[in-house]
Protein backbone atom coordinates (compact mmCIF):
# COMPACT_ATOMS: atom_id res chain seq x y z
CA UNK A 1 0.00 0.00 0.00
CA UNK A 2 1.14 3.53 -0.68
CA UNK A 3 0.15 6.93 0.70
CA UNK A 4 -1.65 8.32 -2.35
CA UNK A 5 -1.24 11.98 -1.37
CA UNK A 6 2.55 11.72 -1.20
CA UNK A 7 2.67 9.61 -4.37
CA UNK A 8 0.60 12.23 -6.22
CA UNK A 9 2.88 15.00 -4.96
CA UNK A 10 5.91 13.07 -6.22
CA UNK A 11 4.24 12.67 -9.64
CA UNK A 12 3.55 16.43 -9.78
CA UNK A 13 7.20 17.16 -9.03
CA UNK A 14 8.37 14.70 -11.68
CA UNK A 15 6.28 16.43 -14.32
CA UNK A 16 7.09 20.05 -13.43
CA UNK A 17 9.82 22.05 -15.15
CA UNK A 18 9.45 24.51 -12.27
CA UNK A 19 7.66 23.95 -8.98
CA UNK A 20 4.57 26.11 -8.64
CA UNK A 21 4.32 28.14 -5.42
CA UNK A 22 1.47 25.86 -4.30
CA UNK A 23 3.38 22.63 -4.97
CA UNK A 24 6.52 23.99 -3.29
CA UNK A 25 4.50 25.08 -0.22
CA UNK A 26 2.77 21.68 0.08
CA UNK A 27 6.08 19.87 -0.29
CA UNK A 28 7.73 22.07 2.34
CA UNK A 29 4.83 21.49 4.72
CA UNK A 30 5.13 17.70 4.45
CA UNK A 31 8.92 17.58 4.65
CA UNK A 32 9.09 20.25 7.34
CA UNK A 33 6.75 18.19 9.49
CA UNK A 34 9.03 15.19 9.12
CA UNK A 35 12.24 17.17 9.70
CA UNK A 36 10.71 19.13 12.57
CA UNK A 37 11.72 22.45 11.09
CA UNK A 38 10.47 24.97 8.58
CA UNK A 39 11.74 24.53 5.03
CA UNK A 40 12.01 27.48 2.66
CA UNK A 41 10.33 26.77 -0.70
CA UNK A 42 13.41 28.20 -2.44
CA UNK A 43 15.39 25.31 -0.99
CA UNK A 44 13.64 22.86 -3.28
CA UNK A 45 15.50 24.11 -6.35
CA UNK A 46 18.94 23.58 -4.80
CA UNK A 47 20.60 20.17 -4.95
CA UNK A 48 22.63 20.94 -1.82
CA UNK A 49 19.56 21.97 0.14
CA UNK A 50 17.55 18.96 -1.00
CA UNK A 51 20.46 16.72 0.04
CA UNK A 52 20.28 18.34 3.49
CA UNK A 53 16.56 17.52 3.65
CA UNK A 54 17.37 13.93 2.63
CA UNK A 55 20.00 13.75 5.36
CA UNK A 56 17.47 14.91 7.95
CA UNK A 57 14.73 12.52 6.81
CA UNK A 58 16.71 9.48 5.69
CA UNK A 59 20.17 9.61 7.31
CA UNK A 60 22.46 6.89 6.07
CA UNK A 61 20.41 6.04 3.00
CA UNK A 62 22.20 5.57 -0.31
CA UNK A 63 21.57 7.80 -3.31
CA UNK A 64 22.12 6.82 -6.93
CA UNK A 65 21.55 9.50 -9.53
CA UNK A 66 22.00 9.70 -13.27
CA UNK A 67 20.96 12.21 -15.84
CA UNK A 68 21.67 14.46 -18.72
CA UNK A 69 22.84 17.95 -17.90
CA UNK A 70 20.56 19.91 -20.16
CA UNK A 71 18.21 22.82 -19.59
CA UNK A 72 15.30 23.03 -19.25
CA UNK A 73 14.73 19.26 -19.18
CA UNK A 74 17.69 17.15 -18.10
CA UNK A 75 15.94 13.77 -17.73
CA UNK A 76 17.30 12.90 -14.28
CA UNK A 77 16.57 9.75 -12.32
CA UNK A 78 17.36 9.02 -8.70
CA UNK A 79 17.08 5.97 -6.46
CA UNK A 80 17.07 6.09 -2.66
CA UNK A 81 17.84 2.85 -0.86
CA UNK A 82 18.21 1.98 2.77
CA UNK A 83 21.23 -0.16 1.91
CA UNK A 84 23.52 -0.55 -1.05
CA UNK A 85 24.50 -4.09 -0.11
CA UNK A 86 21.18 -5.77 -0.97
CA UNK A 87 18.48 -5.47 -3.60
CA UNK A 88 15.61 -6.28 -1.26
CA UNK A 89 15.07 -3.03 0.64
CA UNK A 90 11.56 -2.96 2.07
CA UNK A 91 11.09 0.70 1.11
CA UNK A 92 12.87 2.58 -1.61
CA UNK A 93 12.20 5.62 -3.68
CA UNK A 94 12.71 6.04 -7.39
CA UNK A 95 12.19 9.51 -8.77
CA UNK A 96 12.56 11.18 -12.12
CA UNK A 97 12.55 14.81 -13.10
CA UNK A 98 13.87 17.56 -15.31
CA UNK A 99 16.41 18.59 -12.66
CA UNK A 100 18.44 16.71 -10.08
CA UNK A 101 16.63 18.36 -7.13
CA UNK A 102 13.25 17.36 -8.59
CA UNK A 103 14.30 13.73 -9.01
CA UNK A 104 15.71 13.65 -5.45
CA UNK A 105 12.49 15.12 -4.02
CA UNK A 106 10.31 12.71 -5.99
CA UNK A 107 12.37 9.73 -4.81
CA UNK A 108 12.13 10.90 -1.19
CA UNK A 109 8.38 11.44 -1.38
CA UNK A 110 7.88 8.00 -2.94
CA UNK A 111 9.95 6.33 -0.21
CA UNK A 112 7.88 8.18 2.41
CA UNK A 113 4.67 7.19 0.58
CA UNK A 114 5.60 3.51 0.83
CA UNK A 115 6.48 3.83 4.53
CA UNK A 116 3.32 5.74 5.45
CA UNK A 117 1.14 3.43 3.39
CA UNK A 118 2.54 0.39 5.18
CA UNK A 119 2.18 2.04 8.59
CA UNK A 120 -1.41 3.16 8.07
Amino acid sequence: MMDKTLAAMAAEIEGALELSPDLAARTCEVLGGICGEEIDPGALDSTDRVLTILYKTKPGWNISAAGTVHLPNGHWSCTLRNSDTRDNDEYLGIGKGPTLPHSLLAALLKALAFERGAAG
Side-chain angles (χ1 to χ4, degrees):
M1 189 100 192
M2 182 182 249
D3 181 306
K4 292 180 182 182
T5 302
L6 293 180
M9 189 180 296
E12 281 185 78
I13 290 171
E14 288 179 318
L17 289 176
E18 292 184 17
L19 301 184
S20 70
D22 174 63
L23 178 55
R26 287 185 287 128
T27 303
C28 287
E29 183 178 338
V30 167
L31 296 177
I34 294 167
C35 293
E37 62 184 57
E38 190 173 325
I39 298 174
D40 173 30
L44 303 182
D45 288 324
S46 165
T47 301
D48 286 342
R49 290 180 178 166
V50 172
L51 287 172
T52 299
I53 294 167
L54 280 166
Y55 169 75
K56 291 179 180 179
T57 55
K58 296 289 178 202
W61 276 44
N62 291 284
I63 302 169
S64 299
T68 304
V69 182
H70 187 271
L71 292 176
N73 191 349
H75 303 286
W76 287 91
S77 64
C78 174
T79 304
L80 296 178
R81 303 184 77 89
N82 190 25
S83 169
D84 66 352
T85 59
R86 301 168 81 177
D87 282 342
N88 62 350
D89 289 344
E90 187 172 0
Y91 307 111
L92 61 98
I94 300 171
K96 296 179 181 179
T99 66
L100 182 54
H102 287 192
S103 66
L104 290 166
L105 284 170
L108 174 58
L109 289 168
K110 287 181 180 181
L112 293 170
F114 280 116
E115 288 177 353
R116 287 191 176 184

